[in-house]
Amino acid sequence: MKPQAHIGHLFYRVSWNDLDTNYLRRLIETARAEDIEGAGLKKNSRTGDVTTLALQAEGNAAADLVARKPMNVCGLNLVPLVLEVYGGGAFEPFAKDGQRVEAGAQLGRITGDLKIMLQAERVLLNFLQRLSGVATFTAAHVAALGESPTKLLDTR
């Protein structure tokens, strides 16, 4: 019997389907309110997305999500939810959560209204960078443990 076989019931891998999308949508709405509406700021503070407000262009556009560094991808399933909260758009993934990619790898393409994409960009990238950062950091620790009987069980 393998040493850890008796503790397998204490842990499991969480998948996207285990997550409550209504909770995630509320989290994204909160981030949007803070970013665009200035939620939590005093009344006389500057609010809004100045870049998007200054933009003269109108219409649809496309944007590629590209890895700046080698990384483990995490959070791509949030992209359509973020776009939905901001008002729409489409996402075509070219990578999968958990996949290791090299710098320059295209993770996916967003298409839709230019102004919606610009408004959603900061919150979208914040989620992807944070989640992929945790996944990359965790993968490095799992690799360091190698074939040892020690297993990394939680990243909270």
Side-chain angles (χ1 to χ4, degrees):
M1 181 163 94
K2 293 174 25 179
Q4 70 270 25
H6 68 284
I7 64 167
H9 67 282
L10 297 177
F11 61 91
Y12 65 96
R13 184 177 299 262
V14 174
S15 74
W16 176 256
N17 293 330
D18 294 322
L19 302 176
D20 180 353
T21 54
N22 289 324
Y23 172 80
L24 295 174
R25 191 173 286 106
R26 286 191 308 272
L27 184 63
I28 295 164
E29 288 167 350
T30 300
R32 180 190 181 283
E34 177 185 319
D35 185 47
I36 300 295
E37 300 164 16
L41 295 176
K42 293 180 180 177
K43 294 286 186 206
N44 60 352
S45 296
R46 175 179 266 182
T47 62
D49 182 349
V50 179
T51 305
T52 303
L53 293 173
L55 186 66
Q56 300 297 316
E58 298 282 337
N60 290 329
D64 293 334
L65 295 174
V66 178
R68 290 185 306 169
K69 297 181 178 182
M71 61 183 265
N72 289 72
V73 179
C74 186
L76 292 179
N77 287 325
L78 280 176
V79 175
L81 282 176
V82 171
L83 293 172
E84 177 187 316
V85 167
Y86 276 81
F91 177 62
E92 180 183 2
F94 300 139
K96 294 182 180 186
D97 277 3
Q99 181 179 346
R100 177 78 181 169
V101 298
E102 295 303 318
Q106 191 173 357
L107 307 178
R109 176 170 288 143
I110 299 170
T111 55
D113 182 88
L114 175 62
K115 290 188 176 186
I116 289 173
M117 288 172 43
L118 282 174
Q119 287 180 339
E121 174 190 26
R122 184 172 22 250
V123 167
L124 177 68
L125 291 178
N126 284 346
F127 278 117
L128 290 177
Q129 288 172 345
R130 177 68 175 163
L131 292 169
S132 294
V134 170
T136 302
F137 191 72
T138 302
H141 283 79
V142 169
L145 291 170
E147 296 299 319
S148 77
T150 303
K151 301 296 177 202
L152 181 61
L153 301 180
D154 197 337
T155 59
R156 279 189 271 170

